[in-house]
Short mmCIF file of all heavy atoms in Angstrom, two decimals:
data_model
loop_
_atom_site.label_atom_id
_atom_site.label_comp_id
_atom_site.label_asym_id
_atom_site.label_seq_id
_atom_site.Cartn_x
_atom_site.Cartn_y
_atom_site.Cartn_z
N GLY P 54 55.75 -113.74 109.09
CA GLY P 54 55.69 -112.43 108.45
C GLY P 54 54.62 -111.51 109.00
O GLY P 54 53.83 -110.93 108.25
N ALA P 55 54.60 -111.34 110.30
CA ALA P 55 53.56 -110.57 110.98
C ALA P 55 53.51 -109.11 110.57
O ALA P 55 52.43 -108.55 110.37
CB ALA P 55 53.73 -110.69 112.49
N VAL P 56 54.66 -108.47 110.46
CA VAL P 56 54.68 -107.04 110.12
C VAL P 56 54.12 -106.83 108.72
O VAL P 56 53.28 -105.94 108.52
CB VAL P 56 56.11 -106.47 110.27
CG1 VAL P 56 56.17 -105.04 109.74
CG2 VAL P 56 56.56 -106.52 111.73
N ASN P 57 54.54 -107.65 107.77
CA ASN P 57 53.99 -107.50 106.41
C ASN P 57 52.50 -107.81 106.37
O ASN P 57 51.75 -107.19 105.61
CB ASN P 57 54.75 -108.36 105.41
CG ASN P 57 55.95 -107.64 104.86
OD1 ASN P 57 56.15 -106.45 105.08
ND2 ASN P 57 56.78 -108.36 104.12
N ALA P 58 52.04 -108.75 107.18
CA ALA P 58 50.60 -109.02 107.23
C ALA P 58 49.84 -107.80 107.74
O ALA P 58 48.79 -107.44 107.20
CB ALA P 58 50.33 -110.23 108.13
N ALA P 59 50.38 -107.16 108.76
CA ALA P 59 49.74 -105.94 109.29
C ALA P 59 49.71 -104.85 108.23
O ALA P 59 48.68 -104.21 107.99
CB ALA P 59 50.46 -105.46 110.54
N LEU P 60 50.85 -104.64 107.56
CA LEU P 60 50.91 -103.59 106.54
C LEU P 60 49.99 -103.92 105.35
O LEU P 60 49.31 -103.03 104.83
CB LEU P 60 52.35 -103.39 106.08
CG LEU P 60 53.28 -102.83 107.15
CD1 LEU P 60 54.72 -102.83 106.66
CD2 LEU P 60 52.85 -101.43 107.58
N LEU P 61 49.95 -105.18 104.95
CA LEU P 61 49.06 -105.57 103.85
C LEU P 61 47.60 -105.36 104.24
O LEU P 61 46.80 -104.90 103.42
CB LEU P 61 49.31 -107.03 103.46
CG LEU P 61 48.45 -107.59 102.33
CD1 LEU P 61 48.60 -106.78 101.05
CD2 LEU P 61 48.82 -109.06 102.07
N SER P 62 47.26 -105.63 105.48
CA SER P 62 45.88 -105.42 105.91
C SER P 62 45.52 -103.94 105.84
O SER P 62 44.41 -103.58 105.42
CB SER P 62 45.65 -105.98 107.31
OG SER P 62 46.34 -105.25 108.30
N VAL P 63 46.44 -103.07 106.22
CA VAL P 63 46.18 -101.63 106.13
C VAL P 63 46.10 -101.20 104.67
O VAL P 63 45.26 -100.37 104.30
CB VAL P 63 47.25 -100.81 106.90
CG1 VAL P 63 46.98 -99.32 106.77
CG2 VAL P 63 47.26 -101.21 108.38
N GLN P 64 46.93 -101.77 103.81
CA GLN P 64 46.85 -101.47 102.38
C GLN P 64 45.48 -101.85 101.82
O GLN P 64 44.92 -101.13 100.99
CB GLN P 64 47.94 -102.20 101.60
CG GLN P 64 49.31 -101.59 101.78
CD GLN P 64 50.37 -102.34 101.01
OE1 GLN P 64 50.50 -103.55 101.11
NE2 GLN P 64 51.12 -101.60 100.21
N MET P 65 44.94 -102.96 102.28
CA MET P 65 43.61 -103.38 101.83
C MET P 65 42.56 -102.37 102.26
O MET P 65 41.68 -102.00 101.48
CB MET P 65 43.28 -104.78 102.35
CG MET P 65 44.09 -105.86 101.69
SD MET P 65 43.81 -107.46 102.50
CE MET P 65 44.74 -108.54 101.42
N LEU P 66 42.65 -101.91 103.50
CA LEU P 66 41.72 -100.88 103.97
C LEU P 66 41.90 -99.58 103.20
O LEU P 66 40.93 -98.86 102.94
CB LEU P 66 41.91 -100.61 105.46
CG LEU P 66 41.59 -101.73 106.44
CD1 LEU P 66 41.82 -101.24 107.87
CD2 LEU P 66 40.18 -102.25 106.27
N ALA P 67 43.14 -99.28 102.83
CA ALA P 67 43.47 -98.01 102.17
C ALA P 67 42.89 -97.90 100.76
O ALA P 67 42.87 -96.80 100.21
CB ALA P 67 44.97 -97.81 102.13
N ILE P 68 42.42 -98.98 100.21
CA ILE P 68 41.79 -98.92 98.88
C ILE P 68 40.64 -97.91 98.90
O ILE P 68 40.47 -97.15 97.96
CB ILE P 68 41.30 -100.30 98.43
CG1 ILE P 68 42.50 -101.22 98.17
CG2 ILE P 68 40.40 -100.20 97.19
CD1 ILE P 68 42.12 -102.68 97.96
N GLU P 69 39.89 -97.89 100.01
CA GLU P 69 38.75 -96.98 100.11
C GLU P 69 38.82 -96.06 101.32
O GLU P 69 37.86 -95.36 101.60
CB GLU P 69 37.45 -97.78 100.15
CG GLU P 69 37.17 -98.50 98.85
CD GLU P 69 35.79 -99.11 98.81
OE1 GLU P 69 34.97 -98.85 99.71
OE2 GLU P 69 35.53 -99.86 97.86
N ASP P 70 39.92 -96.08 102.05
CA ASP P 70 40.01 -95.29 103.28
C ASP P 70 41.23 -94.38 103.19
O ASP P 70 42.37 -94.84 103.31
CB ASP P 70 40.11 -96.24 104.47
CG ASP P 70 40.05 -95.54 105.81
OD1 ASP P 70 40.63 -94.44 105.95
OD2 ASP P 70 39.43 -96.09 106.73
N GLU P 71 40.98 -93.10 102.99
CA GLU P 71 42.08 -92.12 102.84
C GLU P 71 42.92 -92.00 104.11
O GLU P 71 44.12 -91.76 104.03
CB GLU P 71 41.53 -90.75 102.43
CG GLU P 71 40.98 -90.71 101.02
CD GLU P 71 42.04 -91.08 99.97
OE1 GLU P 71 43.20 -90.64 100.10
OE2 GLU P 71 41.70 -91.80 99.03
N GLU P 72 42.30 -92.16 105.26
CA GLU P 72 43.04 -92.10 106.52
C GLU P 72 44.07 -93.24 106.59
O GLU P 72 45.22 -93.03 106.97
CB GLU P 72 42.08 -92.17 107.72
CG GLU P 72 42.77 -92.07 109.05
CD GLU P 72 41.81 -92.20 110.23
OE1 GLU P 72 40.59 -92.33 110.04
OE2 GLU P 72 42.33 -92.17 111.36
N ALA P 73 43.65 -94.44 106.20
CA ALA P 73 44.58 -95.58 106.17
C ALA P 73 45.69 -95.33 105.15
O ALA P 73 46.86 -95.64 105.42
CB ALA P 73 43.82 -96.87 105.85
N ALA P 74 45.34 -94.77 104.00
CA ALA P 74 46.35 -94.47 102.98
C ALA P 74 47.38 -93.46 103.50
O ALA P 74 48.58 -93.62 103.27
CB ALA P 74 45.68 -93.94 101.71
N ALA P 75 46.92 -92.46 104.22
CA ALA P 75 47.83 -91.46 104.78
C ALA P 75 48.75 -92.08 105.83
O ALA P 75 49.94 -91.75 105.89
CB ALA P 75 47.03 -90.31 105.39
N LYS P 76 48.22 -92.98 106.63
CA LYS P 76 49.04 -93.65 107.64
C LYS P 76 50.12 -94.50 106.99
O LYS P 76 51.25 -94.56 107.46
CB LYS P 76 48.16 -94.48 108.57
CG LYS P 76 47.31 -93.62 109.48
CD LYS P 76 46.37 -94.43 110.34
CE LYS P 76 45.49 -93.48 111.11
NZ LYS P 76 45.33 -93.81 112.49
N LEU P 77 49.77 -95.16 105.90
CA LEU P 77 50.77 -95.96 105.17
C LEU P 77 51.85 -95.07 104.57
O LEU P 77 53.04 -95.39 104.65
CB LEU P 77 50.10 -96.75 104.05
CG LEU P 77 49.39 -98.03 104.46
CD1 LEU P 77 48.55 -98.55 103.31
CD2 LEU P 77 50.39 -99.09 104.91
N ALA P 78 51.45 -93.97 103.97
CA ALA P 78 52.42 -93.05 103.37
C ALA P 78 53.36 -92.51 104.43
O ALA P 78 54.59 -92.43 104.22
CB ALA P 78 51.70 -91.91 102.66
N LYS P 79 52.83 -92.15 105.59
CA LYS P 79 53.66 -91.65 106.69
C LYS P 79 54.65 -92.72 107.15
O LYS P 79 55.83 -92.45 107.34
CB LYS P 79 52.77 -91.22 107.85
CG LYS P 79 53.54 -90.67 109.03
CD LYS P 79 52.60 -90.25 110.16
CE LYS P 79 53.40 -89.67 111.30
NZ LYS P 79 53.01 -90.11 112.59
N LYS P 80 54.18 -93.97 107.31
CA LYS P 80 55.05 -95.07 107.74
C LYS P 80 56.16 -95.31 106.73
O LYS P 80 57.32 -95.49 107.10
CB LYS P 80 54.25 -96.35 107.95
CG LYS P 80 55.12 -97.58 108.19
CD LYS P 80 54.80 -98.26 109.46
CE LYS P 80 55.58 -99.51 109.70
NZ LYS P 80 56.98 -99.32 110.04
N ARG P 81 55.82 -95.31 105.44
CA ARG P 81 56.84 -95.51 104.41
C ARG P 81 57.89 -94.40 104.45
O ARG P 81 59.09 -94.67 104.32
CB ARG P 81 56.19 -95.56 103.03
CG ARG P 81 55.35 -96.80 102.82
CD ARG P 81 55.97 -97.70 101.79
NE ARG P 81 55.18 -98.91 101.65
CZ ARG P 81 54.70 -99.35 100.51
NH1 ARG P 81 54.89 -98.66 99.39
NH2 ARG P 81 54.03 -100.48 100.46
#
């Protein structure tokens, strides 16, 4: 499950990082 591991890691960073949160929103 490499892709989900990568996305989960970015979600963890996004807790306090707005740039990471924006990247996740764009990907979704």
Side-chain angles (χ1 to χ4, degrees):
V56 172
N57 273 351
L60 294 173
L61 180 58
S62 69
V63 179
Q64 286 180 308
M65 290 173 174
L66 294 182
I68 292 170
E69 293 189 10
D70 187 321
E71 290 301 319
E72 182 182 358
K76 289 176 185 225
L77 280 169
K79 181 180 182 224
K80 171 123 177 73
R81 291 248 177 126

